[in-house]
């Protein structure tokens, strides 16, 4: 719909020079809250990326996309800013270093990256490279991830934490990797892993570094709340933990029990939950040292949250703590647990995935077109049906009311009754419009209205809707508008067709209602005049983006701009660098998008470090066991038959085959133009 703006005419054309600035755009989309310090807007109304945070240097995202397109990288495009990844690592370590200094903690911090968060080779390589100065390690949860971690992590001082279910081969691999000079820690997640570890160690005559995952009683909240508690999938209960210690002692392996691990689920929204868990784990750690285990490491798992909507609340898309609060709580709580018992404070390990990998990648997609109900008044015929005349009259009555503009602000008391009067009129008019529209439908069914007349009736009722919405928008802020009227703008909302598959690129929006910031990359210095949501390319009604961040709430429609003929409208989906790529699927056979790694160059500008081409149609077909050559050959034979029977000309057959062949080599997304 067209948002009512006194500066705009009926058609949304600007009447007078708008006072809307890029700062208004930033505030509308919450950029100043969730974007800091990496994303902002420049005076041209373009999204700006500061890949090194507040250490300087920025890139105009619109210019960047234009130049990448010039290199043949079509949209949708995943842009990975490796500088952001590095900056996140620095911030994480900085926070722990400050906390350790502040609380006089006698241990250190040594983190690992959980590979499951983003297994892409260039991403893991970058993290290992950037994390070298802190001996930053990796966490693997499966054999394939272990292979990645073993081959990429060549720092002998970095930890390689092995979580997840482990068979004999997994355990033996870890033991042998220790002899290779790595530091794999086999974390016991299930009681039945204990005899396997003991048997493998005896056979190889060497032990791995051993960790234990505790099943905490602390109740978590939010989506991953069930990751803890008695029925949690992973971890040892206290009785199991005690018998595990005994078994290791008897096997002569207690000296290798070095780490206590817990993980209370991803995206911890409420810091209070973490504090409870830390206290419980801290106590268990102390008791393990009393039982004779040397210990040395306390691994607090993942869960460090991301403020997707910038609201700093304990709501699902946010968190009520900062990175520094988190580090402070970990350090202070563990110290409080150890100190009274004279236990040496452990090296603190965290497995923060989401918090490290969310910011660095930006998914850019283009809008292919938009559909919305037109709200303009159709021309009147000479002798119009009564129903149409009634609708038209209703529309004119609504339009004739004086606009209630900001003049209300001065004399609020006196205006309260005027406002409720306006609302009453609007409600009445809307009731009339609905009744006449229903009459029109009934008349059409019975054969008294023609199809064009029915079309006019619908158009007139939308025009009423739009006219009412325009009045509503001029009411003083905070006016209590009846529910029925409040939802009117949504009726006129547009559908924007997005060149992407949410199942491939933002699967959590569909699977677990995850919210990501979505906003246009350009025209942020221009007031958006429409409301809309996105429909993706898949033939699935779930393939949509229709939930948007709204300061701790969710809104179903996003403020968007009217599309301009011949001008691209690029959208960015932000903070989606964690989990989305690997969780994405091939629904409707939309494959991976093009991806590119960008780094700020030393002398200004940027460099393209890696280009990762998206899946071609041939590749997604092969993933389903189809043979592209065979498909082509079948169609060639079919076209020969059609040529022979005179249904298809030779030139057309050649054109068809050329299209088929080049489609196989191209990405699965729509080409522009
Ligand atoms: C998934 C997972 C993580 C990562 O969690 P984030 O919330 O992304 O930091 C860490 N540790 C374990 C054991 C996990 O399963």
């Amino acid at each position: 719909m067209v948002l009512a703006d006194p500066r705009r005419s009926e058609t949304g054309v600007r009447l007078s020079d708008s006072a809307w600035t890029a700062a208004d755009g930033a505030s509308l989309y919450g950029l100043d809250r969730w974007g800091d310090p990496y994303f902002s807007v420049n005076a041209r109304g373009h999204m700006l990326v500061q890949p090194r945070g507040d250490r300087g240097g920025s890139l105009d995202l619109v210019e960047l996309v234009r130049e990448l397109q010039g290199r043949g990288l079509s949209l949708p495009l995943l842009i990975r800013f490796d500088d952001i990844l590095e900056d996140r690592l620095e911030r994480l370590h900085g926070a722990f270093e400050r906390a350790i200094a502040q609380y006089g903690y006698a241990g250190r911090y040594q983190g690992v990256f959980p590979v499951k968060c983003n297994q892409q080779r260039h991403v893991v390589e970058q993290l290992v490279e950037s994390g070298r100065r802190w001996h930053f390690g990796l966490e693997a949860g499966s054999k394939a991830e272990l292979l990645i971690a073993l081959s990429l992590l060549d720092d002998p001082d970095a930890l390689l934490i092995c979580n997840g279910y482990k068979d004999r081969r997994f355990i033996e691999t870890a033991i042998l990797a220790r002899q290779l000079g790595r530091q794999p820690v086999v974390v016991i997640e299930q009681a039945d892993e204990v005899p396997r570890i003991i048997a493998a160690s005896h056979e190889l005559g060497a032990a791995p570094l051993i960790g234990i995952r505790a099943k905490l009683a602390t109740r978590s909240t939010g989506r991953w709340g069930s990751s803890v508690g008695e029925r949690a999938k992973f971890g040892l209960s206290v009785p199991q933990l005690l018998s595990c210690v005994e078994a290791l002692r008897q096997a002569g392996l207690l000296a290798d029990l070095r780490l206590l691990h817990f993980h209370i689920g991803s995206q911890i929204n409420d810091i209070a939950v973490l504090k409870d868990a830390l206290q419980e784990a801290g106590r268990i750690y102390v008791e393990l040292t009393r039982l004779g285990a040397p210990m040395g490491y306390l691994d607090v798992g993942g869960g460090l949250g991301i403020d997707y909507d910038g609201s700093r609340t304990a709501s699902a898309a946010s968190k009520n703590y900062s990175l520094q609060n988190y580090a402070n709580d970990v350090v202070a709580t563990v110290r409080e647990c150890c100190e009274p018992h004279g236990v040496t404070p452990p090296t603190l390990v965290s497995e923060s995935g989401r918090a490290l990998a969310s910011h660095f990648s930006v998914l850019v997609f283009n809008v292919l077109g938009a559909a919305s109900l037109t709200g303009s008044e159709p021309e009147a015929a000479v002798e119009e049906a009564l129903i149409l005349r009634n609708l038209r009259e209703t529309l004119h009555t609504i339009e004739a009311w004086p606009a209630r503009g900001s003049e209300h602000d001065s004399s609020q008391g006196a205006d309260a009754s005027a406002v409720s009067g306006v609302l009453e009129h609007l409600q009445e008019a809307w009731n009339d419009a609905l009744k006449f529209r229903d009459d029109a439908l009934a008349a059409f069914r019975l054969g008294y209205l023609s199809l064009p007349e029915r079309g006019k009736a619908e158009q007139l009722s939308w025009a009423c809707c739009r006219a009412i919405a325009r009045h509503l928008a001029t009411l003083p802020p905070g006016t209590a508008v009846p529910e029925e009227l409040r939802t009117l703008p949504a009726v006129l909302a547009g559908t924007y067709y997005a060149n992407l598959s949410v199942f491939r690129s933002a699967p959590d929006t569909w699977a677990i209602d995850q919210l990501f910031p979505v906003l246009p990359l350009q025209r942020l210095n221009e007031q958006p005049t429409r409301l809309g949501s996105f429909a993706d390319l898949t033939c699935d009604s779930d393939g949509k983006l229709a939930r948007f961040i709204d300061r701790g709430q969710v809104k179903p429609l996003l403020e968007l701009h009217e599309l301009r003929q011949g001008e691209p409208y690029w959208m960015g989906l932000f903070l989606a660098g964690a989990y989305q790529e690997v969780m994405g699927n091939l629904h409707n056979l939309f494959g991976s998008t093009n991806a590119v790694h960008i780094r700020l160059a030393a002398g200004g500008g940027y460099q393209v470090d890696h280009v990762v081409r998206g899946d071609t149609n041939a590749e997604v077909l092969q993933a389903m066991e189809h043979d592209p050559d065979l498909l082509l050959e079948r169609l060639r034979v079919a076209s020969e038959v059609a040529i022979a029977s005179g249904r298809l000309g030779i030139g057309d057959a050649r054109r068809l085959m050329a299209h088929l062949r080049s489609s196989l080599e191209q990405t699965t997304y729509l080409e522009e133009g």
Side-chain angles (χ1 to χ4, degrees):
M1 70 150 258
V2 172
L3 300 181
D5 177 349
R7 293 178 298 240
R8 276 168 202 281
S9 75
E10 185 94 0
T11 53
V13 173
R14 195 173 297 180
L15 291 178
S16 63
D17 209 14
S18 168
W20 185 270
T21 64
D24 295 317
S27 150
L28 173 67
Y29 297 107
L31 256 179
D32 36 2
R33 295 184 299 277
W34 60 262
D36 187 51
Y38 304 114
F39 306 105
S40 59
V41 181
N42 67 14
R44 295 167 72 191
H46 291 181
M47 277 292 292
L48 206 60
V49 184
Q50 294 92 234
R52 291 191 191 140
D54 31 34
R55 285 174 296 151
S58 66
L59 295 171
D60 180 319
L61 202 44
V62 175
E63 294 297 329
L64 177 64
V65 171
R66 205 169 280 147
E67 288 171 22
L68 292 172
Q69 282 197 320
R71 290 171 167 84
L73 287 163
S74 56
L75 301 183
L77 177 61
L78 192 63
I79 309 180
R80 303 194 183 114
F81 295 96
D82 289 344
D83 294 299
I84 294 187
L85 207 52
E86 191 164 344
D87 192 78
R88 294 299 299 167
L89 263 179
E90 286 214 18
R91 277 168 197 270
L92 179 67
H93 286 91
F96 272 99
E97 278 158 20
R98 276 188 296 277
I100 283 169
Q102 184 185 335
Y103 294 97
Y105 189 78
R108 37 187 199 103
Y109 167 77
Q110 196 183 353
V112 294
F113 176 69
V115 173
K116 78 159 190 275
C117 204
N118 193 324
Q119 300 94 338
Q120 294 287 327
R121 171 159 74 96
H122 298 306
V123 175
V124 182
E125 280 178 353
Q126 185 63 49
L127 277 163
V128 169
E129 195 47 47
S130 305
R132 207 173 282 279
R133 61 188 136 137
W134 301 287
H135 303 299
F136 188 70
L138 296 173
E139 183 261 7
S142 65
K143 251 185 248 181
E145 288 184 355
L146 176 65
L147 288 171
I148 294 175
L150 273 178
S151 75
L152 295 189
L153 193 62
D154 53 359
D155 177 353
D157 294 319
L159 293 171
L160 198 175
I161 308 269
C162 305
N163 289 324
Y165 296 109
K166 288 168 279 289
D167 61 10
R168 180 75 180 257
R169 194 182 302 278
F170 191 124
I171 294 165
E172 288 190 9
T173 306
I175 296 174
L176 295 168
R178 191 176 175 186
Q179 287 157 342
L180 199 71
R182 307 284 205 270
Q183 285 208 68
V185 183
V186 176
V187 177
I188 300 168
E189 304 244 17
Q190 307 286 331
D192 67 358
E193 285 168 3
V194 181
R196 275 205 289 283
I197 290 172
I198 293 171
S201 301
H202 284 165
E203 182 166 327
L204 294 176
L209 295 168
I210 301 173
I212 295 189
R213 177 166 180 170
K215 196 181 271 189
L216 299 184
T218 304
R219 286 267 276 281
S220 186
T221 52
R223 172 159 298 279
W224 286 276
S226 58
S227 306
V228 288
E230 276 165 25
R231 296 188 45 74
K233 183 168 158 189
F234 294 112
L236 304 188
S237 64
V238 171
Q240 284 173 325
L241 205 124
L242 292 170
S243 48
C244 166
V245 168
E246 269 328 296
L248 291 177
R249 190 196 308 280
Q250 277 166 26
L253 290 175
L254 195 57
D256 295 295
L257 179 54
R258 304 294 307 279
L259 177 143
L260 174 67
H261 172 246
F262 72 90
H263 173 69
I264 57 171
S266 204
Q267 184 67 10
I268 298 171
N269 310 115
D270 188 354
I271 188 93
V273 170
L274 178 76
K275 280 190 204 176
D276 286 350
L278 278 166
Q279 259 174 353
E280 191 182 348
R283 287 285 306 120
I284 295 175
Y285 181 90
V286 168
E287 293 294 324
L288 285 172
T289 63
R290 282 186 172 170
L291 291 171
M295 302 307 287
Y297 296 92
L298 177 57
D299 177 352
V300 301
L304 178 52
I306 286 288
D307 198 357
Y308 292 99
D309 68 4
S311 68
R312 300 202 175 96
T313 59
S315 59
S318 188
K319 52 168 187 160
N320 63 0
Y321 57 92
S322 66
L323 175 55
Q324 192 62 58
N325 297 149
Y326 177 88
N328 288 353
D329 273 359
V330 171
V331 170
T333 313
V334 175
R335 197 192 104 163
E336 279 161 25
C337 290
C338 293
E339 214 163 52
H341 301 281
V343 171
T344 311
T347 294
L348 298 166
V349 181
S350 83
E351 305 172 345
S352 310
R354 186 185 297 274
L356 281 179
S358 290
H359 295 78
F360 88 113
S361 79
V362 177
L363 178 73
V364 178
F365 61 93
N366 53 314
V367 170
L368 299 161
S372 60
L373 307 177
T374 61
S376 54
E377 182 182 351
E379 272 190 35
V382 191
E383 274 190 30
E384 211 165 36
L386 178 64
I387 297 174
L388 293 186
R389 274 184 279 138
N390 284 341
L391 270 168
R392 212 176 277 283
E393 208 170 290
T394 309
L395 174 62
H396 293 163
T397 331
I398 301 168
E399 284 175 337
W401 283 326
R404 314 294 305 184
S406 48
E407 69 265 24
H408 284 284
D409 299 353
S410 47
S411 53
Q412 294 216 333
D415 267 343
S417 66
V419 168
S420 76
V422 169
L423 283 175
E424 208 170 297
H425 277 301
L426 292 178
Q427 179 76 60
E428 210 174 289
W430 181 236
N431 292 344
D432 287 348
L434 283 180
K435 159 133 196 3
F436 295 141
R437 193 193 61 187
D438 291 347
D439 287 351
L441 192 58
F444 173 73
R445 272 203 218 100
L446 297 172
Y448 298 116
L449 273 195
S450 67
L451 193 63
E453 284 173 318
R454 180 182 159 187
K456 273 190 184 179
E458 283 183 19
Q459 227 177 316
L460 283 165
S461 69
W462 297 335
C464 290
C465 186
R466 177 178 284 201
I468 291 172
R470 197 173 291 128
H471 276 290
L472 292 177
T474 65
L475 292 174
T479 304
V481 177
E483 174 70 17
E484 202 184 341
L485 292 183
R486 203 147 25 90
T487 52
L488 276 191
V491 176
L492 289 171
T495 300
Y496 282 63
Y497 297 103
N499 193 16
L500 96 155
S501 156
V502 301
F503 302 98
R504 176 68 254 176
S505 295
D508 279 349
T509 62
W510 158 71
I512 58 170
D513 283 342
Q514 162 96 50
L515 293 176
F516 295 105
V518 177
L519 74 158
L521 301 188
Q522 67 285 289
R523 296 172 70 182
L524 294 164
N525 55 351
E526 202 184 298
Q527 184 169 23
T529 53
R530 308 195 74 92
L531 286 175
S533 60
F534 299 93
D536 80 356
L537 291 176
T538 66
C539 308
D540 189 316
S541 52
D542 279 348
K544 62 184 180 191
L545 290 174
R547 298 175 81 256
F548 304 98
I549 58 163
D550 188 17
R551 300 170 191 239
Q553 317 255 309
V554 183
K555 58 185 178 188
L557 296 168
L558 188 65
E559 294 82 355
L560 294 166
H561 300 86
E562 188 111 31
L563 298 183
R564 291 199 191 116
Q565 193 68 38
E567 198 181 288
Y569 193 56
W570 291 334
M571 302 296 306
L573 185 132
F574 292 83
L575 308 187
Y579 300 111
Q580 302 317 294
E581 284 171 67
V582 74
M583 302 290 271
N585 61 53
L586 285 174
H587 191 16
N588 254 172
L589 297 191
F590 287 102
S592 61
T593 68
N594 287 323
V596 59
H597 287 248
I598 299 291
R599 240 184 197 288
L600 280 182
Y606 61 89
Q607 66 197 46
V608 179
D609 275 357
H610 311 282
V611 170
V612 186
R613 292 275 167 191
D615 291 333
T616 62
N617 284 304
E619 283 162 344
V620 296
L621 287 169
Q622 278 161 339
M624 297 295 126
E625 305 294 330
H626 295 285
D627 179 345
D629 289 335
L630 200 61
L631 295 185
L632 269 188
E633 180 56 15
R634 283 206 189 129
L635 287 162
R636 192 193 60 75
V637 171
S639 75
E640 286 300 331
V641 173
I643 291 169
S645 68
R647 278 177 288 133
L648 183 70
I650 291 187
D652 287 342
R654 197 173 63 199
R655 192 186 187 117
L656 173 63
M657 292 311 292
H659 279 326
L660 293 169
R661 210 169 294 117
S662 53
S663 291
L664 285 174
E665 287 160 15
Q666 277 160 357
T667 78
T668 53
Y669 296 91
L670 296 202
E671 297 169 73
E672 275 165 283

